[in-house]
Amino acid sequence: MASTIKHKLLCCLVMLAALLKFSTANAQVPFYKDASQSIDSRVKDLLSKLTIDEKISLLGYRSQAVPRLGIPAYNWWNEALHGVARAGEATIFPQAIGMSATFNEDLLKQVSTAISTEARAKYNLAIAQDRHLQYMGLTFWAPNINIFRDPRWGRGQETYGEDPFLTGRMGSAFVKGLQGDDPKYLKTSATAKHFAVHSGPEATRDKFDAKVDEKDLRETYLYAFHELVKNHVESVMSAYNRVNGVPNSINKMLLTDILRKEWGFSGHVVTDCGALDDVYLTHKTLPTAVEVAAAAIKAGVDLDCSSILQNDGIKAIKQGLLTEKDIDQALGAILRTEFKLGFYDDPAANPYHGYGADSVHNEQHLALARKVAQQSMVLLKNNNNVLPFKKSSYSSIMVVGPNAASLDAMIANYHGTSSKVINFVEGITGAVDKATRVEYDLGCDYKDTTHFGGTWAAGNADATVAVIGLSPVLEGEAGDAFLSESGGDKKT
């Protein structure tokens, strides 16, 4: 009898220990960190655990850490226009307008696949050292699918050209390579920008009102965005300008009625950087930052590339302009992106966790960059079949021009850095034998058409290669193209 009681008691103790172990294990893994659950239910659970102040702190691109829930700080601002940008060693592919000139969407998808591989590798390496840096994240604000309608626009180089159909095809291919094809996880997050009717001018972009009729809006300016939404782009960026009087970042018709309700977009909307400040400082359509914060959330903005939502969101709630439900809707959209990227899961379960240093700027990616460059080039004239040069026919070559040895012209804007960029002077010198004479002269600068150097030397050479054109300091984004006479654009 005593042994039976002891046996039952032992069984109970074993069961109790098992239950305690199971309960402890479950207590250690919050529901929102359970990768077997649906993303929507995990987002709902995490939202229920956050205070209103914590929620507000997550609505800016410099997302704040929430240590009690194990949420690290994260910077949403990362660039990948034609390679991982501003993040150290990375493969630099041809500028977007050049890649579009290949008319090869499969090749462009290979490019963005290589870019996202390098991005994941750099992110993995940074996180391993507990570095949470801007430009080393996984949420990329590319591609730029604005329509290059006016050749004076300095940022036209970032686009896929003047044709909405081509832009939609090339932009969709780029998105597919960036985001990957895993059924559960995003490789990186892509962003279609700048929504909408944003094709210059640069100097007045913060106050410009784009007047457009419904036909032009739909057929020219919205077509490519719709194509990218149909191909599941994760994010859309609102533009600085107004459209028919309404600033894009508080434009409910664009951000909610068309983007979400009509097109079924399910990702998150981010503002261009400082665009909310423009609403009350330059557009002056609303008087205060607090009202702007409320209007942006109500219109459909989820993430702010400035500090207005983080600084003034709580004030908007206290003034009755926003509710916590409004905040949850916005934050829920950006949390879904984080879950898709695997931020709250065991890194080892992510198919992209294994990328490391050997995935960055490797021989395969360099070969791909060369292939894209070759397909992007257009030979306009080849009188008497001068090209390609036959080495045996030329004993002396003169290389001239402002872009012959220009690093800026080689890497374009929104660029990465490389430990080995070969300019035209270096490339041509390295391609000929040691018995061939190669000379170089800058020849002229970008603006002086009166004074020329190297003319005498060119007359003494068998062939002269002149490398001319513009550079990103003459045309590009406002502020970056600091030598531009027209705020980033060409004047004429």
Side-chain angles (χ1 to χ4, degrees), residues 17-37 45 49:
L19 285 169
L20 285 170
K21 185 177 180 181
F22 178 77
S23 176
T24 303
N26 279 312
Q28 289 173 345
V29 181
F31 185 89
Y32 69 90
K33 289 192 174 182
D34 183 352
S36 68
Q37 304 298 328
D45 180 65
K49 290 176 166 55

Side-chain angles (χ1 to χ4, degrees), residues 157-471:
Q157 59 178 293
E158 299 175 30
T159 76
Y160 298 124
E162 75 282 8
D163 182 72
F165 177 76
L166 178 64
T167 298
R169 292 293 290 268
M170 299 302 271
S172 295
F174 194 84
V175 166
K176 289 175 183 177
L178 273 190
Q179 297 191 169
D181 55 8
D182 186 81
K184 183 173 183 179
Y185 292 106
L186 288 172
K187 195 176 181 186
T188 67
S189 164
T191 301
K193 68 181 187 185
H194 310 82
F195 194 63
V197 200
H198 186 73
S199 298
E202 279 298 293
T204 57
R205 64 183 185 175
D206 298 298
K207 57 185 178 182
F208 184 73
D209 188 8
K211 304 287 189 182
V212 60
D213 61 35
E214 185 73 10
K215 177 180 172 63
D216 208 17
L217 177 68
R218 294 285 182 164
E219 295 181 359
T220 304
Y221 295 107
L222 296 188
Y223 177 87
F225 283 98
H226 192 194
E227 287 300 300
L228 266 64
V229 169
K230 286 191 285 187
N231 282 282
H232 311 294
V233 68
E234 183 64 18
S235 175
V236 169
M237 175 181 281
S238 62
Y240 288 118
N241 57 287
R242 278 174 281 164
V243 173
N244 297 330
V246 183
N248 278 303
S249 295
I250 59 167
N251 196 320
K252 181 177 179 293
M253 180 196 74
L254 285 174
L255 301 182
T256 295
D257 297 344
I258 292 177
L259 184 63
R260 288 192 170 90
K261 292 182 179 178
E262 183 180 328
W263 294 352
F265 176 68
S266 59
H268 71 269
V269 171
V270 59
T271 70
D272 206 341
C273 298
L276 291 187
D277 298 271
D278 290 343
V279 174
Y280 73 100
L281 292 176
T282 53
H283 294 301
K284 299 182 179 179
T285 55
L286 289 173
T288 68
V290 176
E291 289 167 284
V292 171
I297 294 285
K298 291 283 192 182
V301 165
D302 304 307
L303 182 67
D304 177 16
C305 184
S306 68
S307 55
I308 282 186
L309 291 187
Q310 288 169 308
N311 290 345
D312 298 290
I314 199 72
K315 298 174 189 174
I317 289 176
K318 289 178 180 178
Q319 292 181 25
L321 301 176
L322 285 176
T323 66
E324 188 166 357
K325 184 179 179 181
D326 295 325
I327 300 299
D328 284 354
Q329 184 169 330
L331 181 56
I334 58 179
L335 288 178
R336 275 193 293 276
T337 299
E338 291 188 341
F339 278 108
K340 290 179 187 178
L341 288 165
F343 283 4
Y344 299 97
D345 295 353
D346 178 2
N350 194 297
Y352 310 115
H353 179 63
Y355 292 130
D358 59 350
S359 295
V360 178
H361 200 233
N362 56 35
E363 290 301 321
Q364 292 87 351
H365 293 172
L366 290 173
L368 179 60
R370 179 181 291 270
K371 181 178 181 181
V372 179
Q374 289 169 338
Q375 292 196 21
S376 74
M377 296 176 189
V378 179
L379 181 62
L380 296 180
K381 184 182 287 189
N382 192 19
N383 286 357
N384 302 318
N385 294 314
V386 168
L387 298 175
F389 283 168
K390 298 180 180 64
K391 290 185 182 181
S392 60
S393 300
Y394 297 91
S395 62
S396 56
I397 299 174
M398 183 69 193
V399 187
V400 298
N403 284 345
S406 168
L407 178 63
D408 281 333
M410 292 291 293
I411 60 179
N413 75 338
Y414 279 87
H415 57 79
T417 56
S418 169
S419 58
K420 191 176 184 182
V421 177
I422 301 172
N423 62 41
F424 292 92
V425 178
E426 294 165 338
I428 291 171
T429 302
V432 301
D433 60 41
K434 299 296 187 284
T436 300
R437 194 184 83 221
V438 178
E439 292 185 72
Y440 160 69
D441 198 302
L442 179 64
C444 64
D445 68 16
Y446 295 106
K447 297 180 180 180
D448 188 341
T449 58
T450 304
H451 301 92
F452 295 93
T455 306
W456 180 83
N460 290 326
D462 294 331
T464 296
V465 179
V467 189
I468 58 176
L470 296 163
S471 93

Side-chain angles (χ1 to χ4, degrees), residues 94-139:
Q95 180 58 295
I97 195 72
M99 292 195 290
S100 185
T102 67
F103 291 86
N104 189 338
E105 58 194 276
D106 292 332
L107 187 61
L108 187 59
K109 184 184 176 184
Q110 292 177 45
V111 167
S112 56
T113 298
I115 292 171
S116 58
T117 293
E118 295 196 2
R120 267 287 175 177
K122 296 178 82 66
Y123 174 79
N124 293 341
L125 294 167
I127 293 301
Q129 298 185 54
D130 198 28
R131 294 176 179 172
H132 302 268
L133 303 173
Q134 184 174 1
Y135 304 131
M136 299 289 279
L138 295 174
T139 46

